[in-house]
Amino acid sequence: MNFFLNLNPVVQAFLATLFTWSVTAAGAALVFFAESVNQKIMDSMLGFAAGVMIAASFWSLLAPGLEMAEYLGHIPWLTAVIGFMGGGIFMRLTDRILPHLHPGLSFDKTEGVKTSWQRSTLLVLAITLHNIPEGLAVGVAFGAVAADLPSATIGGAVALAVGIGIQNFPEGTAVSMPLRREGMSRRKSFFIGQASALVEPIAGVMGALFVLKMQNVLPYALCFAAGAMIFVVVEELIPESQSNYANIDLVTLATMTGFSIMMILDVALG
């Protein structure tokens, strides 16, 4: 642990996001052991992931962002709103432009600009798009520690990486399993499932570098990452997890469980 603490924040962010990618790969690897996952379990896993991301957005990003804004002499609520809404608007614009297809939907439900790309490519892009804010959030959190501001702690950054990693497991499964059901080989289904999270180390390094170079915008960056993550939760995870009405109560409890676990991690470690 001491070795990790002594590393450059950019390297810390890279290693942390390598961990979050590896958990995605572990989730995608379920395709080697089963043809499908029970829908109730899958919905609960996605609900759990939504809860983790909601808690992480506040405890790991928004709350420290507000504290940092006040410490730096900003107007805290204004900084939070600008950053938070900026993250959501960025994801909306990216969602509108980048061609992608959410798992479980037919090919005619492709979003973004028109393209002739294959279904598998569009599926990867859908999850990749929504992994960007997760990697960015981890990178910004580790970069914030280097700024030596009171509300940024290495424990909080580690807690965020662990939380993001936990919720990445069902995301890997949610990509690889549908591809396997469509007749793709286990190996290719796994490869595509894990590839969807390769963007996280890239986004993590970029986020850490950005806040190290421009520390005055750090509160905005934290709130931006929170807004981008909430956009993903509301736009994808919650609707997908609650698509089966019979499972809504169970999924809601799973979401609250995910929120509670992430809150415990952040408060205990942060």
Side-chain angles (χ1 to χ4, degrees):
M1 186 64 178
N2 287 333
F3 171 75
F4 181 79
L5 295 177
N6 292 326
L7 293 174
N8 181 281
V10 176
V11 178
Q12 290 176 335
F14 178 69
L15 293 176
T17 45
L18 276 182
F19 162 74
T20 62
W21 161 79
S22 70
V23 181
T24 306
L30 286 183
V31 77
F32 290 114
F33 307 100
E35 292 290 334
S36 63
V37 175
N38 179 277
Q39 191 60 47
K40 186 177 291 188
I41 294 175
M42 192 69 240
D43 289 347
S44 298
M45 289 169 67
L46 290 172
F48 180 88
V52 168
M53 289 184 70
I54 293 170
S57 296
F58 177 74
W59 295 101
S60 298
L61 298 170
L62 270 176
L66 283 164
E67 291 182 31
M68 288 180 194
E70 186 173 10
Y71 181 83
L72 293 172
H74 299 178
I75 302 174
W77 64 265
L78 182 60
T79 298
V81 168
I82 292 173
F84 186 79
M85 290 303 299
I89 292 170
F90 169 79
M91 289 304 299
R92 171 57 183 144
L93 292 174
T94 308
D95 208 41
R96 190 177 181 87
I97 295 170
L98 186 69
H100 61 284
L101 177 66
H102 294 293
L105 297 182
S106 58
F107 194 75
D108 62 336
K109 300 294 184 181
T110 299
E111 299 180 38
V113 298
K114 298 298 181 183
T115 179
S116 59
W117 293 346
Q118 294 182 346
R119 176 182 174 84
S120 58
T121 303
L122 295 171
L123 284 168
V124 172
L125 286 174
I127 306 299
T128 299
L129 170 64
H130 293 162
N131 277 334
I132 293 173
E134 296 170 13
L136 181 65
V138 174
V140 169
F142 279 99
V145 176
D148 200 26
L149 296 175
S151 55
T153 66
I154 189 66
V158 170
L160 177 61
V162 171
I164 294 294
I166 291 172
Q167 67 89 38
N168 271 0
F169 188 89
E171 288 190 358
T173 306
V175 178
S176 64
M177 287 296 184
L179 293 176
R180 176 59 182 164
R181 287 198 300 269
E182 291 176 6
M184 193 172 289
S185 69
R186 294 181 191 273
R187 182 175 296 181
K188 190 171 182 180
S189 298
F190 165 74
F191 178 78
I192 292 175
Q194 62 81 33
S196 63
L198 286 175
V199 70
E200 288 192 7
I202 299 171
V205 168
M206 290 177 63
L209 282 171
F210 179 74
V211 298
L212 285 173
K213 297 293 184 183
M214 303 180 67
Q215 292 187 5
N216 198 46
V217 301
L218 182 51
Y220 294 100
L222 286 165
C223 297
F224 179 95
M229 286 177 62
I230 290 296
F231 181 94
V232 171
V233 171
V234 178
E235 195 260 354
E236 181 185 357
L237 288 180
I238 289 179
E240 191 172 329
S241 67
Q242 299 199 356
S243 59
N244 187 334
Y245 185 78
N247 298 335
I248 284 182
D249 288 343
L250 178 62
V251 170
T252 301
L253 288 173
T255 303
M256 295 178 70
T257 301
F259 184 98
S260 298
I261 289 176
M262 185 63 219
M263 180 172 60
I264 292 169
L265 279 173
D266 205 291
V267 174
L269 295 178

